[in-house]
Amino acid sequence: MDGIKNIVVTDKSILLLLKNQYTSNVESGSTRTEIKHWVELFFGVKVIAMNSHRLPVKGRRMGHTMHYKRMIITVQPGYSIPPLIKKEKKRT
């Protein structure tokens, strides 16, 4: 799972969950087939469609590119991807 950086939690991504669509940031060098293979293998789901786009750069920096792109993954009805939540350690 080196290609997937993190899961995106925004208002739009939460609404997409109702349509079995999951949003995540992936490495910019990763291809759609690699991401599809990783998701199907790691989560045991069937991927129907994938959409990707590069996020716009904030500001006007010439020659600056993002090191990741956003991927919206649609899984087959009946399948779901469990949430990836890191639990914080309690301080004692």
Side-chain angles (χ1 to χ4, degrees), residues 27-41:
E27 296 278 337
S28 62
S30 301
T31 62
R32 289 176 181 229
T33 54
E34 288 175 348
I35 299 296
K36 180 180 178 180
H37 178 70
W38 287 335
V39 169
E40 289 181 342
L41 185 66

Side-chain angles (χ1 to χ4, degrees), residues 57-64:
V57 177
K58 293 182 179 179
R60 298 200 181 265
R61 295 185 216 156
M62 295 296 290
H64 180 72

